[in-house]
Amino acid sequence: MKRKDPFVVFLPSGKRGHVEFNTSILSAARQLNVDLDSVCGTRGICSKCQISPIFGYFPKFKVKSDTNSISPSNEVEERYERKRGLITGRRLGCQAKIRGDLIVDVPPESQIHKQVVRKEAEHRQIRMSPATKLYYVEVQKPDLELSSGDYERLKDAIANQWDLAPIEADLSVIKRIQQTLRAGDWKVTCAVFKNHKAKTYKLIEIWPGYFEGPIYGIAVDLGSTTIAGHFCNLLDGSLKYSSGLMNPQIKFGEDLMSRVSYAMMNLSGTKDMTEAVIDSLNELLKVMSKNANVPLGLVLEMVIVGNPIMHHILLGIDPSELGQAPFALSINESIILPCSELGIKLNESANTYILPCIAGHVGADASAVVLSEGLKRKRSTTLVVDVGTNAEIILCHEKEILACSSPTGPAFEGAQISDGQRAAPGAIEKVRIDKTDKTVKFKVIGCDVWSDDESFPAKIKSIGITGICGSGIIEAVAEMRMAGIVDSNGLIGTAEQTNSDRCILQGRTQSFVLYRGNSSSNSLTITNSDIRAIQLAKAALYAGARLLMDQVNIDKVDSIILAGAFGANISPLHAMVLGMIPDCDISKVSSAGNAAGTGSRIALLNKESRLEIEKTVSRITKIETALANRFQEHFVSASNIPNSVHSFPNLNNMVALPNVNFNSRSRRRSN
C-alpha cells in the first residue's frame, strides 16, 4: 500500500501542501515557495535555515502534528549543537526530514525577506499627567524617642508634603529605604504610582537626594499579527524609541479563531501561547532598551492594549469561551497589576495598566482607538474601521457610540493568497492597470520607483519581486475591476473578453498575470480563488459597518477613518471600489495610522484619560455580528464588487466601473 504524502503547513506565511515522505524541511519550503534562508548548500554550517516544529492538533488545517512527524536530530545537527548551540526546540531545516503531517514555524531571523512591522508612532500632542511621577521629600531622622521605622516616616513625609496617601511599597523597595535615606542625608526622590481604581498610591522607586530623572514608560499594542512598543519619557512625554516584531503566536494559528481552537484542542494550548507572547514582549523590551540606551530598571510603567483573545492569552486566561456564543469575556474592565506578575521584566515594582475591553470580540485595542480619535467628542457621523485579521468597527452618531467586530481573516495581510505574503521588502504594495491597453505597473516595498521606471530593475536587484502583500492585493483587485478584467461578481474574464493576454486559463478558471518573471515559476498571478478570498474578507468588513448604521437608522456617514497599521497603507479609493467601506466623500476618508498604539500612549501619559475611556466604554452599544439577523443579508450583497444592493454615488462620480459580466462563461464550464 502506497504511503500517503505528508501534509506540511509553514507559518507565518500559511503556505502549505503535500510533499514526499522524508523530504527535508528546506526542500519542502523551496517547493512551496516559502521564505526560508540557507547559504551553506545544506551542509548544516550556516544555521540560517533554523525552524521550529510545532506539535499539537490544529483544527483549522485538520492536522495533528507530533514528534513522529519529523526525523530525530542527526549527526550534523548534534555537531552544530555542540559547537554553537541551538535555541530550545529549533531544528536545522536542511537536516530535519518530514515524516508525517507537520506544522513548521519559520522564525523572523530565518526569513530572507524580513516582515516590515508598520506600527510607527504617530506624532500627537498629549497633555501630560502620568500616573507615575517623581516627588522630592525630606524625611525626619530617627530618634530614640520615636518608635516608627524609616519606612513609616518616609510614608508620613510623602503624605504631609504631597498629600499622597495611603501609600504602600513592595519588599524590593523597602529593603533599600534605609541605605537610600542615609545616602541622601534624609532627602530622597520617590517615584510614586497613583492607582486610580483603588484610590491608593504605590512607591515604585527611590533615589538619594534630588533625582531629576528621566523615568520611562512603555505603551504596547499587542496585535494578533504584530507587537509594537513605544518607549516614552514620563516627564515630558517625548518618544524615545519605537519598535515592533511579529507576534510569535502566529505559529499556533494565522487568525484568532485558530488560536482559540488550539487552546481548546491542546491541554497546554493557552500556556504555550502565553509563554510565547511574554517571551517576545521581553525580547522586544530588551531591544528597545538597548536602542534607547535606557536601562529597563528605569521603566516604571507599562500600558497594553489588544483584542480580547490577545488580552486573555496575555493574562493566561483560557480564551475558549470567546470561540462560541455568547462570547463571554472573563473580564472586560480595566486591569492594574504588577508587571512581574505577568513575567514582564522591567523595574521590579513597575505596574501594567490594561485598557478595558468593549465586548466579546471588541477589545482594549478598540478602546484605545476610541480614546485616540476622541470619538466621545465627535459631532459628525464618523465610522472608524480598524482593519486586521479581526476587523473592529466603531460608529459615532449624535453622541452615541456603537461597536462590533467582523472576522475578516488573514487575506488582507497577504495570507491565504496564492502569491501573497506579509509586508516585506520585495512585496508588491501598489498596483496600477491602464484602462485601455491593460498594461500593469507596480511598486514594491523597499523601492521608491514604479516598475515602469528605467531605474527599477537596478533598484530591485538586491531584493527581487517576491510576492503580493495585503495593500497590493486590494489595489490589484480594485484596479482589475476598474479596467474591466474582473466583473462585479468577482470573475476574471478570458483574454478575448478583456482584450488582455495577461488573462490566462489555469485549471478551470482564469487568472491574471500581475508580474511576468523569467519563467512561470517566478511570475505572480491573481487567481479567481484569490479574488474570492478578498471578496469574503471585504464583505465581512462592510456587513459589520452596515449593521452599526442600521442600529441608528442611517444610510450614509459623514466621514470614515481607516485605523491600524494596515489601514494606514490602504488607498481609500481602492477600498471603496472593492466595497470594503460604505460610500462616502473620498476627501472625508482618512487614515489614523496606528490609532490603537496612539491610544495606549495617551493612557500611559495621561491618567485622566484612563477614567475617561473607562466611563466611555461603559456607555458603548455593543453589536454581536454573529447573532445579528441582517449580517448575512449585508454579507451577501457586499460579496459583489462593490455591492449588489447599496449604491455608491460618491464613487460613481469619480470612477465609471465597466459594465461587464463573465457569468455565462462560468456556467458553461460547470456543466
Side-chain angles (χ1 to χ4, degrees):
M1 181 177 176
K2 185 181 177 183
R3 179 189 287 118
K4 178 186 174 184
D5 288 339
F7 183 70
V8 60
V9 180
F10 286 92
L11 299 174
S13 68
K15 293 182 178 178
R16 66 204 76 172
H18 289 279
V19 297
E20 289 187 5
F21 182 84
N22 233 27
T23 298
S24 75
I25 287 175
L26 179 60
S27 296
R30 288 172 174 169
Q31 289 175 36
L32 298 172
N33 197 27
V34 172
D35 191 12
L36 179 59
D37 204 356
S38 178
V39 297
C40 69
T42 73
R43 290 177 296 197
I45 298 171
C46 71
S47 82
K48 291 183 179 295
C49 65
Q50 287 186 45
I51 55 87
S52 295
I54 309 299
F55 304 126
Y57 180 66
F58 294 77
K60 176 177 179 179
F61 306 119
K62 295 182 174 60
V63 166
K64 183 180 181 182
S65 174
D66 58 37
T67 53
N68 295 322
S69 300
I70 188 169
S71 62
S73 294
N74 62 16
E75 291 180 4
V76 175
E77 289 178 286
E78 290 170 359
R79 182 188 68 221
Y80 187 89
E81 173 66 40
R82 287 194 306 271
K83 291 187 174 182
R84 298 177 65 182
L86 280 169
I87 294 173
T88 303
R90 292 277 181 90
R91 298 290 302 275
L92 298 182
C94 63
Q95 303 299 315
K97 305 292 179 63
I98 300 169
R99 294 181 175 175
D101 294 348
L102 185 65
I103 305 292
V104 178
D105 175 49
V106 181
E109 57 269 30
S110 298
Q111 298 169 23
I112 302 169
H113 302 91
K114 308 298 186 286
Q115 176 160 352
V116 177
V117 179
R118 289 171 158 170
K119 288 200 173 184
E120 298 86 358
E122 176 193 347
H123 178 71
R124 179 74 68 91
Q125 287 294 117
I126 301 171
R127 188 175 71 83
M128 290 298 296
S129 179
T132 302
K133 297 176 68 174
L134 296 179
Y135 300 89
Y136 174 75
V137 295
E138 296 182 1
V139 182
Q140 184 179 352
K141 295 180 181 180
D143 189 291
L144 287 173
E145 296 181 3
L146 294 174
S147 60
S148 62
D150 289 347
Y151 174 42
E152 285 73 26
R153 280 181 281 104
L154 173 60
K155 289 198 295 181
D156 288 343
I158 294 171
N160 293 332
Q161 295 167 40
W162 292 102
D163 195 26
L164 306 181
I167 191 166
E168 58 183 20
D170 292 338
L171 180 59
S172 61
V173 177
I174 293 173
K175 286 178 178 178
R176 291 183 279 110
I177 286 176
Q178 287 197 317
Q179 67 184 62
T180 306
L181 284 171
R182 286 156 180 79
D185 192 25
W186 307 99
K187 302 174 184 66
V188 292
T189 303
C190 302
V192 177
F193 168 77
K194 181 179 181 180
N195 184 330
H196 70 282
K197 291 173 69 70
K199 297 181 180 178
T200 59
Y201 298 88
K202 182 179 177 183
L203 179 61
I204 304 295
E205 189 57 272
I206 182 171
W207 296 269
Y210 180 64
F211 176 73
E212 296 185 81
I215 56 174
Y216 296 90
I218 292 179
V220 173
D221 176 11
L222 179 57
S224 55
T225 303
T226 55
I227 304 172
H230 308 294
F231 211 117
C232 301
N233 184 321
L234 290 180
L235 298 186
D236 62 15
S238 60
L239 184 66
K240 188 76 173 176
Y241 190 76
S242 290
S243 186
L245 46 69
M246 293 286 290
N247 187 331
Q249 292 175 358
I250 287 176
K251 64 189 178 186
F252 301 106
E254 300 162 279
D255 55 74
L256 294 172
M257 286 301 103
S258 295
R259 294 178 208 177
V260 172
S261 296
Y262 185 84
M264 294 172 71
M265 302 301 295
N266 296 277
L267 191 61
S268 64
T270 301
K271 180 175 176 287
D272 294 343
M273 291 188 285
T274 299
E275 288 178 351
V277 77
I278 294 295
D279 287 346
S280 282
L281 270 173
N282 283 323
E283 185 60 34
L284 176 62
L285 295 175
K286 281 198 297 185
V287 169
M288 294 175 71
S289 170
K290 180 179 179 181
N291 284 281
N293 195 27
V294 173
L296 287 175
L298 283 176
V299 181
L300 308 185
E301 193 176 355
M302 180 180 239
V303 169
I304 303 177
V305 302
N307 63 59
I309 291 171
M310 293 299 95
H311 171 281
H312 278 38
I313 293 173
L314 172 73
L315 295 170
I317 298 171
D318 185 346
S320 297
E321 290 298 325
L322 294 172
Q324 55 198 351
F327 312 107
L329 288 158
S330 175
I331 179 172
N332 77 298
E333 66 181 38
S334 63
I335 299 172
I336 297 175
L337 74 167
C339 291
S340 58
E341 195 171 329
L342 288 173
I344 295 172
K345 298 172 183 176
L346 297 175
N347 182 285
E348 284 183 289
S349 294
N351 292 290
T352 298
Y353 174 74
I354 303 175
L355 272 70
C357 290
I358 296 174
H361 285 297
V362 188
D365 51 351
S367 299
V369 172
V370 171
L371 182 60
S372 171
E373 297 309 301
L375 296 186
K376 178 187 174 184
R377 295 175 288 278
K378 289 279 186 186
R379 294 295 174 261
S380 60
T381 299
T382 304
L383 182 72
V384 181
V385 182
D386 194 341
V387 186
T389 54
N390 188 66
E392 287 161 330
I393 309 161
I394 303 162
L395 179 66
C396 175
H397 175 71
E398 295 181 354
K399 297 185 180 180
E400 184 177 2
I401 301 177
L402 304 91
C404 72
S405 69
S406 207
T408 55
F412 284 150
E413 295 180 343
Q416 299 180 355
I417 301 296
S418 56
D419 284 322
Q421 67 169 84
R422 300 190 187 276
I428 293 176
E429 63 172 342
K430 292 185 180 297
V431 176
R432 298 292 181 270
I433 300 176
D434 188 275
K435 309 304 181 288
T436 304
D437 62 16
K438 311 301 190 281
T439 54
V440 176
K441 67 176 182 178
F442 53 82
K443 289 186 78 172
V444 300
I445 297 173
C447 181
D448 58 355
V449 299
W450 288 85
S451 59
D452 60 347
D453 189 288
E454 62 181 15
S455 66
F456 181 76
K459 289 195 171 187
I460 58 117
K461 189 173 182 180
S462 62
I463 58 175
I465 300 170
T466 57
I468 312 164
C469 70
S471 62
I473 290 286
I474 287 171
E475 292 202 3
V477 177
E479 287 284 326
M480 289 165 70
R481 178 72 185 95
M482 289 189 283
I485 293 164
V486 166
D487 67 14
S488 62
N489 295 308
L491 290 172
I492 301 173
T494 64
E496 294 77 17
Q497 290 170 321
T498 62
N499 196 30
S500 173
D501 63 0
R502 288 178 177 269
C503 294
I504 59 173
L505 184 65
Q506 288 187 320
R508 294 170 60 85
T509 60
Q510 297 291 317
S511 294
F512 181 76
V513 181
L514 194 64
Y515 163 66
R516 288 192 170 108
N518 298 326
S519 65
S520 59
S521 63
N522 62 6
S523 294
L524 301 178
T525 60
I526 305 289
T527 69
N528 251 130
S529 294
D530 297 337
I531 292 175
R532 185 60 180 160
I534 292 297
Q535 284 177 283
L536 294 174
K538 71 96 177 180
L541 188 66
Y542 182 90
R546 288 300 307 199
L547 274 182
L548 298 186
M549 294 166 68
D550 289 347
Q551 289 293 313
V552 292
N553 197 28
I554 59 173
D555 285 320
K556 63 179 183 178
V557 295
D558 298 325
S559 61
I560 298 175
I561 298 172
L562 299 173
F566 183 54
N569 291 281
I570 297 174
S571 154
L573 174 62
H574 292 89
M576 200 173 292
V577 168
L578 273 187
M580 284 176 62
I581 54 178
D583 187 68
C584 183
D585 180 346
I586 201 73
S587 67
K588 299 295 179 63
V589 182
S590 61
S591 167
N594 182 18
T598 301
S600 68
R601 283 169 52 220
I602 293 171
L604 175 68
L605 300 175
N606 186 292
K607 61 182 180 295
E608 285 76 24
S609 70
R610 303 179 184 186
L611 289 166
E612 175 188 327
I613 193 58
E614 289 165 7
K615 187 179 295 185
T616 301
V617 164
S618 69
R619 297 172 180 170
I620 292 176
T621 301
K622 301 93 176 175
I623 306 299
E624 182 52 64
T625 55
L627 305 177
N629 294 330
R630 297 198 68 191
F631 182 82
Q632 191 63 27
E633 176 188 332
H634 289 313
F635 181 87
V636 170
S637 66
S639 297
N640 273 42
I641 305 175
N643 198 287
S644 63
V645 173
H646 299 131
S647 61
F648 281 68
N650 285 287
L651 176 63
N652 294 337
N653 287 335
M654 294 183 294
V655 177
L657 297 179
N659 185 19
V660 292
N661 189 321
F662 307 129
N663 263 327
S664 58
R665 171 179 57 83
S666 176
R667 284 198 300 270
R668 285 199 305 271
R669 186 166 286 133
S670 63
N671 290 336

